[in-house]
Amino acid sequence: MLRASLPFITALLTAGLLAGCSSTPEDKTAGWSPNRIYSEAKDELNSGAFDKAVPLLEKLEGRAAGTPLAQQAQLDKAYAQYKAGEKAQAIATLDRFMKLHPASPALDYALYLKGLVNFNDNLGLFSWISQQDLSERDQKAAKDSFESFSELATRFPDSRYAKDARQRMTYIVNSLAQNEVHVARYYFQRGAYVAAIGRAQAALADYQGVPALEEALYILIQSYDALGMTQLRDDARRVMQSSYPQGVYATGTVKAKSNPWWKFW
């Protein structure tokens, strides 16, 4: 039986190690300065190549640790993750940024971006278009978005992002109230009058001064009437006539809407 010589075996092992090393991806940024990495990352961001920008920005975080450039890299990475559809990662990046840099002058932007990430998650409101039962919907994204915008508007009232944040807060409140009313209507149309009353009452209790409350009262009146609860029906009718004397439900001028309720702009 032939035996390979020790030098031959050593040569084979060395060749295998070299082959393994050659398969390791080369770090093209190895000799780059932090400024060059940032420039390349910005080019990827500007061209819409968000998935390519993220690893560059992660490298920049390490290379420029402890500098304002590293903070900017974190924020840009969160934006790139958000635009790439990696919303959970974007939120995690922003939470980490706010924890590490609570006094950063860019904290208002971090809060604004966190609000946007959840806001653009459809607020969890529009799945009814695909006939999903709204009673199963989770409104957490909408509420998280509202909290981020609210914190921004409260802590940084003069921020360049505050005005837009307030407008989005109004939209969120209107949307959440309308969603609650839509669920109440869903139950009413299926004869689940007790459930319809519960959701209409929840909308009236949780939201103030929003357009959806007139319909919430109308659903309440109709549900009480269907259950033969005439006293409660009449009480609710008096509240509606007092609160919305010229409203479409009080005057009986309800018309089908040409646009969906959520189409504000």
Side-chain angles (χ1 to χ4, degrees):
M1 182 176 182
L2 295 176
R3 293 183 179 179
S5 65
L6 184 59
F8 179 71
I9 293 173
T10 302
L12 285 176
L13 290 173
T14 302
L17 288 172
L18 290 174
C21 292
S22 65
S23 64
T24 302
E26 180 183 357
D27 182 3
K28 68 177 183 178
T29 70
W32 293 6
S33 68
N35 285 336
R36 183 180 174 187
I37 297 176
Y38 185 61
S39 177
E40 293 287 335
K42 290 296 286 184
D43 286 344
E44 299 291 6
L45 284 173
N46 292 335
S47 67
F50 303 111
D51 57 329
K52 295 180 180 178
V54 169
L56 288 171
L57 292 165
E58 287 175 340
K59 289 184 182 298
L60 181 57
E61 278 188 77
R63 303 269 181 93
T67 70
L69 190 58
Q71 293 185 35
Q72 185 63 52
Q74 278 185 286
L75 291 173
D76 286 345
K77 182 177 77 170
Y79 176 78
Q81 290 168 326
Y82 156 58
K83 296 297 286 184
E86 298 174 350
K87 295 179 180 181
Q89 293 91 324
I91 293 294
T93 298
L94 290 166
D95 285 343
R96 179 170 173 267
F97 174 88
M98 289 186 280
K99 182 178 180 180
L100 292 175
H101 312 290
S104 170
L107 193 61
D108 60 336
Y109 172 73
L111 286 166
Y112 179 70
L113 183 55
K114 186 176 179 180
L116 279 185
V117 172
N118 283 314
F119 184 89
N120 282 346
D121 196 22
N122 282 335
L123 302 181
L125 299 176
F126 307 132
S127 67
W128 61 274
I129 296 172
S130 61
Q131 306 303 311
Q132 182 176 352
D133 181 353
L134 286 184
S135 65
E136 299 175 359
R137 293 302 299 163
D138 177 12
Q139 300 303 307
K140 186 176 184 302
K143 292 173 182 176
D144 287 347
S145 180
F146 184 90
E147 287 178 6
S148 296
F149 290 138
S150 179
E151 184 176 355
L152 164 61
T154 300
R155 295 180 60 184
F156 306 99
D158 298 324
S159 166
R160 60 184 292 190
Y161 308 106
K163 180 179 178 180
D164 187 67
R166 293 188 190 98
Q167 291 175 338
R168 290 176 187 272
M169 287 167 63
T170 299
Y171 171 81
I172 291 169
V173 170
N174 287 337
S175 298
L176 287 172
Q178 182 62 63
N179 183 74
E180 199 74 42
V181 172
H182 186 84
V183 176
R185 188 190 318 131
Y186 173 91
Y187 284 133
F188 176 79
Q189 290 171 345
R190 284 154 182 77
Y193 303 120
V194 173
I197 289 169
R199 297 309 286 257
Q201 288 177 333
L204 291 164
D206 293 343
Y207 303 100
Q208 305 296 321
V210 296
L213 298 189
E214 183 185 357
E215 186 180 358
L217 281 166
Y218 180 74
I219 292 172
L220 207 57
I221 293 166
Q222 297 300 308
S223 297
Y224 284 142
D225 187 60
L227 293 172
M229 305 171 75
T230 56
Q231 182 62 53
L232 291 173
R233 176 201 64 195
D234 293 342
D235 290 343
R237 181 176 288 123
R238 279 191 290 271
V239 172
M240 185 174 71
Q241 291 172 343
S242 174
S243 302
Y244 305 96
Q246 303 302 318
V248 293
Y249 294 100
T251 60
T253 57
V254 181
K255 294 181 180 180
K257 296 180 181 179
S258 58
N259 289 321
W261 60 264
W262 45 264
K263 193 172 182 181
F264 288 106
W265 54 67

